[in-house]
Amino acid sequence: MFRVLLLSFSLLLAQTGPGIAISLSTPLRMMRPYPALLAMMGVMPVPTDFTPANSGDFATAITNSAGGDTITLTAGQTYTGPFTLKSGLTSTVTIRSSGYASLPADGQRVTSSDRSNMAIVVCGSFNNQQCFSTSGNDADNWRITGLDMRQANGIINDPGMVQFGDSAETTSANTPNNIELDHNWIEATQAGAVRGVYVNGRNIDIHDNYISGFRRSGIESQAILLVGGPGPVRIDNNYMMSMGEI
C-alpha cells in the first residue's frame, strides 16, 4: 500500500513540475530520524557526512544524525564538550577525525606520532563533565575513532572522560549497546581526573587506544572501569596507565 501511495505521489510531482517536486521533497529528508517509517515506505534514508565547523555544530550533528551517518571532525581543531550520544539509532554512526586514513589499522595501537592526525575533544569546562557520555538515554550504535581527548585545565573528573552507561542502569535493556572506541588518545594531562573510560553496557569494544595519566590524591583511579552490565566487553591492545589500579 505504501509503495502504491509513494508511486502515486511521484506521478503527481511529475505532473506539477520540478519546482513543486523540490519543495515537497524536503519533508522526506527531514524524516531521516524515523528509519522504521521510511523502511515501511520502501525508502532508505541517505547517509550524511557531517563536517561540523565548531563545538555547537558538532553537538547539533550528534542530535541530527541517523544510522549510517558519519561525523568528521577536522584534525588539529578543538571541540569542547560535553557531548551526549543519543539513543534510537538502527545502525552505527561514526565520529572520526578527518585524518582517519592516516591512523594505524585495526590491531595496531596509536602512538604520540598519530596525534597530529586526530581532532581534539576537550571535556566540559565544569567539574565532572565528560568528553562523551550516554547517561540517561541508553545510547546505542556509535563508533568513536581517531580523537585526542583531554581534560579541561584545572577541572576534576570523577565519572570518567568517556562514560558509557551509569550505575543506575540495572537492566540489560537500559544499558548502552554496540559502541566501539578505537584508535583514540585519552589522556589526563594533570591530576584530578579519576578514570579514563567508565563502562556499564552491552557489546562494548575498546581497542587500539592510548589511555593514560589518571590520578587523584587519596582516590584509586582506573584507565578503564568496568562497573557492570551484561557485556560482552572487549578490551584489546590498549596502552593503559593510572595510579593505583588499571
Side-chain angles (χ1 to χ4, degrees), residues 126-139:
F126 293 93
N127 287 342
N128 298 324
Q129 287 187 331
Q130 307 90 337
C131 290
F132 293 98
S133 71
T134 64
S135 299
N137 66 1
D138 313 323

Side-chain angles (χ1 to χ4, degrees), residues 97-114:
S97 168
S98 61
Y100 72 95
S102 298
L103 295 174
D106 281 355
Q108 299 179 32
R109 186 188 309 143
V110 294
T111 66
S112 59
S113 64
D114 295 308

